[in-house]
Amino acid sequence: MMLREFVDEVASYRRTITVFAPAPDETLERYFETRNVTVEHEPLPDDGSGGFVVVTRDGEFVGSLARSAVREFVSPGEVGFGPNEGVRLPMNLLADTTFVSFDRRKLLAATREIEDRAYRQGRGTLRSGFQTLSRFATERDRYESIASKSDLDVHAYARPDRTTAQSISETENATVHAEEAEEIAAHWFVVFDGGGDDRQACALLAEEVASGPNSFRGFWTYDAELVGDIDAYLRESYGEE
Amino acid sequence: MVEDRPDGPAESVSELFDALRRSNCRYALYYLQDRETATLAELATVVASWTQARAADPEIVTPEDRQRVMVSLHHADLPALEDAGLVRYDFDSKTVTAESLPEMADAILEKSLVYERLADREPDHSDRRESGNEKEPNDE
């Protein structure tokens, strides 16, 4: 088992995204351009709303949302910082669909949403992959404050680079896993087990793709079973200490 | 044609307005304009999603929200459209077929679409109000 296999598994879910709008939406089509998500366009008379986006799985309705809200989220550029409706709603709609071209800024917005859940829940286990220790160093103060919730067990994973394991060892509340494994350097992840409440479980997992720097392929999920599997994989592969 | 209905022209005008005052009915008709037929399931998806997309702060439409719209379409909206002679609704196969619109209905719908466009995102759709504008952000 490898982290990448979780991404491949979710990529095998058959999802159809139908964009109901007066004209085809190329921004949305580009975002979902993967072999496992089918994007369709259905023409709609122009009533000024801009239309909506429907997600189906094997023909079953999963959910829908105003196209304007989805578009804002997937378009390159600014999203509001911190957890907000502009992030939460599209994340809910698009859970378990694989993305192919997220940049760091978007990934960070989605990540904050999950970290915020863990913080509000205040118990359970949060495991975050930062790729390199240097990147963890820049997030460290924030993670110290998340880990200050005494019933929240926080684990950070990263490969040593110019920042060494020694220089980071005095992190008080979080367990830092300095790992040489290739997949730790290649994957951005944040996994929260829900702290005993399955409805709070969520995970984001993304692999940096070689084709472009700062470009990621992956997914996020609210499926407690899948979250549990990723959590167990990290615990078993990299230990608890 | 509405004019040929046995219950007379005055009655049929009432039936036409009774259907068109419902936003579910108007949005079903807008959608059917370029299509001959649609299934009940398809119309439920479109009407539930489209009316929510017009809200000031659109929420996610869940399968339960869509189910409620489907029940309303099946029991109230589509029968009203059928009474007004605007669609044929097959209760068993749950398919909706658009009738060719009487001139008056056609003119009204064309105008009302323009007005919906101008009124974009004004939460003034009376029969939407009970169906969810008050929804709490479902944080879980």
Side-chain angles (χ1 to χ4, degrees):
Chain A
M1 192 75 197
M2 300 281 285
L3 280 176
R4 173 180 292 149
E5 289 171 49
F6 289 107
V7 180
D8 290 340
E9 184 191 322
V10 170
S12 73
Y13 295 174
R14 278 177 297 163
R15 286 286 202 276
T16 300
I17 310 273
T18 310
V19 182
F20 289 80
D25 187 325
E26 283 175 16
T27 303
L28 288 182
E29 281 167 13
R30 258 197 310 279
Y31 172 80
F32 293 113
E33 214 170 65
T34 92
R35 62 184 195 283
N36 301 104
V37 180
T38 310
V39 183
E40 290 168 355
H41 171 246
E42 285 282 343
L44 206 63
D46 183 6
D47 74 324
S49 69
F52 49 91
V53 174
V54 175
V55 177
T56 52
R57 179 179 187 175
D58 296 326
E60 288 287 309
F61 180 87
V62 173
S64 70
L65 184 61
R67 182 173 64 105
S68 56
V70 180
R71 211 189 135 93
E72 192 179 340
F73 182 65
V74 303
S75 300
E78 205 68 55
V79 287
F81 251 108
N84 61 56
E85 294 293 277
V87 172
R88 189 180 64 80
L89 294 176
M91 277 187 74
N92 272 327
L93 182 71
L94 301 176
D96 303 313
T97 62
T98 43
F99 52 80
V100 282
S101 60
F102 247 30
D103 60 22
R104 281 189 188 280
R105 197 192 300 265
K106 287 289 183 330
L107 220 41
L108 204 55
T111 298
R112 294 272 194 270
E113 163 69 19
I114 293 173
E115 291 166 349
D116 186 59
R117 267 183 192 235
Y119 186 76
R120 275 181 293 144
Q121 186 74 353
R123 60 176 192 276
T125 304
L126 178 71
R127 302 180 192 275
S128 300
F130 295 86
Q131 296 183 287
T132 62
L133 275 180
S134 297
R135 194 159 293 125
F136 173 66
T138 67
E139 293 276 322
R140 189 180 144 165
D141 287 349
R142 237 169 39 75
Y143 262 73
E144 285 275 20
S145 88
I146 292 173
S148 69
K149 294 266 183 168
S150 58
D151 291 329
L152 191 61
D153 191 14
V154 176
H155 294 259
Y157 301 79
R159 184 155 77 173
D161 53 350
R162 61 181 184 278
T163 305
T164 61
Q166 286 74 24
S167 64
I168 215 97
S169 61
E170 62 222 63
T171 303
E172 271 176 42
N173 299 310
T175 307
V176 178
H177 300 259
E179 302 285 345
E180 291 294 340
E182 189 58 45
E183 67 170 7
I184 291 297
H187 286 83
W188 173 314
F189 56 84
V190 51
V191 182
F192 176 54
D193 71 355
D197 183 351
D198 279 355
R199 292 168 308 169
Q200 296 292 338
C202 49
L204 175 150
L205 174 58
E207 179 183 19
E208 188 162 7
V209 288
S211 58
N214 291 343
S215 186
F216 289 84
R217 161 185 185 264
F219 67 93
W220 58 82
T221 185
Y222 299 97
D223 177 339
E225 198 180 324
L226 180 56
V227 172
D229 288 347
I230 304 171
D231 179 73
Y233 169 80
L234 290 168
R235 188 178 63 238
E236 285 157 18
S237 303
Y238 302 106
E240 285 290 52
E241 293 305 319
Chain B
M1 298 296 283
V2 169
E3 289 78 3
D4 297 334
R5 292 168 62 82
D7 38 8
E11 184 69 14
S12 64
V13 168
S14 296
E15 284 170 343
L16 178 66
F17 281 104
D18 184 48
L20 295 185
R21 74 179 174 80
R22 302 162 180 263
S23 71
N24 280 1
C25 288
R26 290 197 305 280
Y27 277 84
L29 287 175
Y30 297 147
Y31 182 69
L32 284 167
Q33 268 174 6
D34 301 325
R35 294 165 177 80
E36 287 286 289
T37 65
T39 62
L40 173 65
E42 195 179 340
L43 278 183
T45 297
V46 167
V47 171
S49 304
W50 203 351
T51 50
Q52 183 58 238
R54 292 182 59 83
D57 294 304
E59 266 289 335
I60 285 194
V61 176
T62 65
E64 293 73 34
D65 297 332
R66 173 180 172 269
Q67 186 62 33
R68 274 193 293 277
V69 170
M70 195 179 316
V71 168
S72 168
L73 284 170
H74 180 73
H75 290 290
D77 306 319
L78 292 173
L81 283 170
E82 189 159 48
D83 286 346
L86 304 178
V87 305
R88 261 178 298 129
Y89 179 45
D90 187 324
F91 241 65
D92 297 323
S93 69
K94 300 208 167 52
T95 52
V96 184
T97 309
E99 298 279 17
S100 65
L101 289 181
E103 207 181 312
M104 180 165 62
D106 197 38
I108 292 169
L109 280 173
E110 197 179 308
K111 274 273 188 239
S112 67
L113 185 61
V114 171
Y115 273 81
E116 324 257 23
R117 194 151 60 222
L118 293 174
D120 183 24
R121 282 148 204 263
E122 293 296 325
D124 62 352
H125 302 278
S126 49
D127 38 2
R128 254 196 53 69
R129 209 158 259 172
E130 69 268 24
S131 72
N133 273 353
E134 307 302 321
K135 228 195 283 182
E136 287 291 312
N138 51 335
D139 246 319
E140 277 39 37

